């Protein structure tokens, strides 16, 4: 048993040394090469997508992988990714799986950025010889929105052995939050410490877009340790984590309806930029109120109008309906009623109402029950109820019949007692009259 344990430890140590020496080989990543149309006269037919395959290792030694017949040989790329950013499980789907991760790869030309908070990265504006190489950019979207990642790759001219120089990723592709809660939009980056661009500074910017409009949320120049003059209120970064770990996550102190939209996290190195997008949706369920409450007592033939008001919800998608729940526990749908249009408040939330006419000459409802307003919203389903009491129904219920039988028995007993009393008192009065005549 001791010998077996020794062999196991030696094997484990050897496997560890081998993986350290030769790196980790990740599953190949299926990707689409975006081939731009040739420039010149005539009509442009748009970009062409060509199947490509990325063979990824964490170490440059031992590169290799299988070739596939459905992929052109020139579209096989050997990528060294020390941070294993392309090894995430969400980027690799089973061959028979219907859902596939999406990946695109395209040529890239390094160039200096023109925005003010990035100018310091290219000062002095001299293009280093390091940029004379073949550059590619990749963007990948993992399964089930687990990951979105953008990489900048560099290879010596006329080779297909690329190295990841800059990687930007987010694990919060889609985020939902309620109003007033703090929001964290994840974004992190990694830069190759062996690159000649490493240590020359970096910059981070977050931008917001919604329905064709956009603005700068905040921007930070890491080289000069300075924020841009334009900064959205309540938005911040963890600067210590940014410098030590590459954590460029955006922090929103209190979520507002106006925060719903697309956020772009862009990380700049000198002459390079990679970015990812994160979608934020503020979801606030409605508050319901019914009037009048309580409902007045009604009789057959009478009509009552009841109104339900839904307020403070976002987004404005809402379905309103009515239902009646009787004393027997059965539920009956009463329709949606008359629904008003949306009204928007100052904080961006919406309001909407519905009215229902309860006409007891047409509706066959029980004498007692609850009228309920139902609101179906992306933030959840809400209900508000009010009691309904109706008097004088033409068709008696079982309880009414039993009560009437009891009243009849009681009346019958009273009549019998009264009749017995009169019968017993009459003979005594007759005998008194006879005695008086005799005297």
């Amino acid at each position: 048993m001791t010998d077996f344990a020794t062999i196991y430890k030696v094997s484990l140590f050897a496997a560890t040394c081998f993986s350290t020496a030769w790196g980790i080989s990740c599953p190949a990543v299926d990707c689409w090469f975006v081939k731009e149309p040739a420039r010149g006269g005539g009509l442009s037919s748009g970009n062409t997508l060509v199947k490509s395959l990325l063979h990824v290792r964490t170490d440059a030694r031992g590169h290799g992988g299988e070739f596939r017949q459905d992929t052109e040989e020139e579209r096989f790329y050997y990528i060294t990714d020390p941070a294993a950013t392309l090894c995430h499980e969400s980027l690799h789907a089973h061959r028979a799986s219907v859902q596939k991760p999406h990946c695109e790869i395209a040529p890239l030309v390094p160039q200096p950025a023109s925005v003010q908070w990035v100018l310091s990265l290219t000062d002095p504006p001299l293009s280093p010889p390091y940029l004379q190489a073949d550059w590619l950019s990749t963007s990948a979207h993992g399964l089930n929105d687990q990951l979105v990642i953008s990489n900048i790759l560099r290879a010596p001219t006329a080779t297909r052995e690329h190295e990841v120089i800059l990687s930007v990723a987010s694990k919060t592709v889609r985020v939902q939050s309620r109003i007033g809660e703090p929001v964290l939009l994840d974004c992190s980056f990694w830069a190759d410490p062996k690159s000649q661009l490493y240590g020359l500074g970096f910059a981070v910017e977050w931008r917001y877009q919604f329905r064709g409009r956009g603005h700068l949320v905040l921007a930070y120049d890491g080289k000069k340790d300075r924020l841009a003059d334009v900064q959205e209120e309540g938005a911040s970064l963890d600067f210590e984590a940014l410098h030590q770990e590459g954590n460029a996550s955006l922090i929103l102190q209190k979520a507002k309806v106006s925060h719903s939209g697309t956020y772009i996290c862009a990380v700049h190195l000198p002459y390079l930029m990679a970015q990812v997008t994160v979608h934020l949706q503020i979801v606030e369920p409605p508050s319901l109120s019914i009037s009048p409450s309580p409902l007045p007592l009604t009789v057959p033939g009478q009509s009552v109008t009841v109104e339900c008001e839904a307020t403070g919800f976002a987004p404005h998608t809402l379905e309103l309906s009515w239902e009646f729940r009787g004393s027997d526990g059965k539920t009956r749908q009463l329709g949606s009623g008359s629904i008003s249009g949306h009204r928007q408040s100052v904080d961006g939330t919406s309001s909407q109402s519905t009215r229902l006419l309860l006409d007891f000459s047409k509706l066959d409802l029980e004498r007692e029950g609850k009228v309920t307003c139902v609101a179906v919203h992306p933030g959840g389903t809400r209900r508000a109820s009010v009691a309904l009491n109706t008097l004088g129904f033409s068709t008696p219920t079982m309880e009414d019949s039993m009560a009437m039988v009891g009243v009849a028995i009681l009346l019958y007993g009273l009549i019998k007692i009264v009749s017995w009393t009169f019968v017993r008192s009459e003979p005594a009065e007759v005998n008194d009259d006879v005695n008086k005549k005799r005297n």
Side-chain angles (χ1 to χ4, degrees):
M1 191 69 178
T2 305
D3 295 337
F4 177 79
T6 303
I7 294 174
Y8 173 77
K9 292 179 180 180
V10 171
S11 301
L12 182 61
F13 177 76
T16 304
C17 293
F18 180 80
S19 62
T20 302
W22 294 98
I24 300 173
S25 178
C26 305
V29 179
D30 291 297
C31 213
W32 292 98
F33 182 86
V34 182
K35 191 175 183 180
E36 297 182 354
R39 297 182 179 180
L43 297 176
S44 175
S45 59
N47 296 335
T48 302
L49 299 180
V50 183
K51 283 188 176 181
S52 303
L53 197 64
L54 310 183
H55 292 286
V56 184
R57 289 186 61 87
T58 59
D59 191 283
R61 288 169 293 183
H63 258 307
E66 84 270 19
F67 287 85
R68 297 179 186 171
Q69 295 180 356
D70 61 348
T71 306
E72 299 177 8
E73 183 177 352
E74 64 176 359
R75 297 307 173 198
F76 283 84
Y77 297 96
Y78 303 100
I79 299 175
T80 301
D81 184 9
T85 57
L86 292 172
C87 298
H88 196 273
E89 59 182 359
S90 66
L91 299 179
H92 309 282
H94 192 272
R95 286 288 179 184
S97 176
V98 176
Q99 293 184 347
K100 301 286 187 181
H102 183 74
C103 173
E104 289 186 359
I105 184 171
L108 173 70
V109 178
Q111 54 187 352
S114 58
V115 290
Q116 183 178 2
W117 47 86
V118 188
L119 294 179
S120 65
L121 301 183
T122 53
D123 185 21
L126 299 177
S127 179
Y130 180 78
L131 298 181
Q132 303 301 318
D134 289 340
W135 294 85
L136 294 174
S137 67
T138 65
S139 61
H141 195 125
L143 294 171
N144 302 320
D145 291 333
Q146 296 182 46
L147 178 74
V148 61
I149 186 170
S150 177
N151 288 336
I152 304 296
L153 313 178
R154 180 188 181 276
T157 304
T159 66
R160 293 198 303 271
E161 296 185 2
H162 290 75
E163 295 182 350
V164 176
I165 304 301
L166 174 63
S167 177
V168 180
S170 175
K171 295 182 180 179
T172 57
V173 182
R174 299 187 183 277
V175 181
Q176 282 192 353
S177 176
R178 296 190 62 174
I179 295 176
E181 294 181 349
V183 179
L184 177 68
L185 303 181
D186 177 68
C187 181
S188 60
F189 74 95
W190 176 87
D192 185 4
K194 300 189 302 296
S195 168
Q196 295 182 18
L197 302 179
Y198 186 83
L200 299 181
F202 70 91
V204 176
E205 67 173 302
W206 279 90
R207 301 193 69 89
Y208 168 84
Q209 288 185 350
F210 183 70
R211 296 179 180 176
R213 297 176 300 173
H215 63 265
L216 178 68
V217 178
L218 63 78
Y220 175 70
D221 183 348
K223 184 177 182 179
K224 293 186 176 181
D225 192 21
R226 186 176 63 185
L227 281 168
D229 295 335
V230 179
Q231 181 179 353
E232 185 174 312
E233 183 181 359
S236 62
L237 301 174
D238 185 343
F239 296 104
E240 183 177 355
L242 176 62
H243 283 273
Q244 294 182 359
E245 306 169 8
N247 184 355
S249 301
L250 179 66
I251 304 171
L252 300 176
Q253 293 181 359
K254 291 185 178 180
K256 303 177 183 177
V257 177
S258 59
H259 287 154
S260 291
T262 300
Y263 288 79
I264 302 173
C265 173
V267 177
H268 298 261
L269 292 183
Y271 303 96
L272 300 178
M273 188 271 288
Q275 64 181 28
V276 294
T277 58
V278 179
H279 304 279
L280 172 62
Q281 185 181 34
I282 305 302
V283 179
E284 187 69 23
S287 298
L288 301 182
S289 61
I290 295 181
S291 62
S293 181
L295 293 177
L297 294 175
T298 57
V299 295
Q302 184 180 357
S303 297
V304 175
T305 300
V306 59
E307 181 176 2
C308 177
E309 181 81 12
T311 58
F313 60 90
H316 66 271
T317 304
L318 184 69
E319 294 182 7
L320 292 172
S321 62
W322 295 90
E323 63 184 26
F324 175 80
R325 185 179 181 87
S327 57
D328 58 355
K330 295 182 179 180
T331 301
R332 175 180 173 183
Q333 302 300 322
L334 301 180
S336 58
S338 178
I339 299 179
S340 69
H342 290 89
R343 301 177 300 277
Q344 192 170 29
S345 59
V346 178
D347 62 355
T349 58
S350 300
S351 300
Q352 194 174 22
S353 62
T354 175
R355 289 187 177 185
L356 179 66
L357 178 63
L358 296 174
D359 189 349
F360 295 97
S361 63
K362 300 178 181 180
L363 296 175
D364 184 19
L365 302 179
E366 296 184 22
R367 183 176 61 180
E368 295 181 354
K370 288 184 177 181
V371 178
T372 302
C373 174
V374 182
V376 180
H377 186 265
T381 301
R382 297 292 186 268
R383 285 179 166 82
S385 301
V386 64
L388 173 66
N389 294 292
T390 306
L391 302 177
F393 260 64
S394 57
T395 303
T397 62
M398 180 64 70
E399 292 80 1
D400 294 335
S401 301
M402 295 179 63
M404 287 188 289
V405 171
V407 171
I409 294 175
L410 178 62
L411 291 176
Y412 177 76
L414 291 175
I415 293 172
K416 292 295 282 183
I417 293 174
V418 172
S419 63
W420 288 342
T421 302
F422 278 105
V423 169
R424 293 181 61 183
S425 61
E426 285 180 358
E429 292 178 354
V430 171
N431 292 332
D432 292 340
D433 292 340
V434 172
N435 293 331
K436 289 180 180 179
K437 290 180 180 180
R438 290 178 177 177
N439 295 332

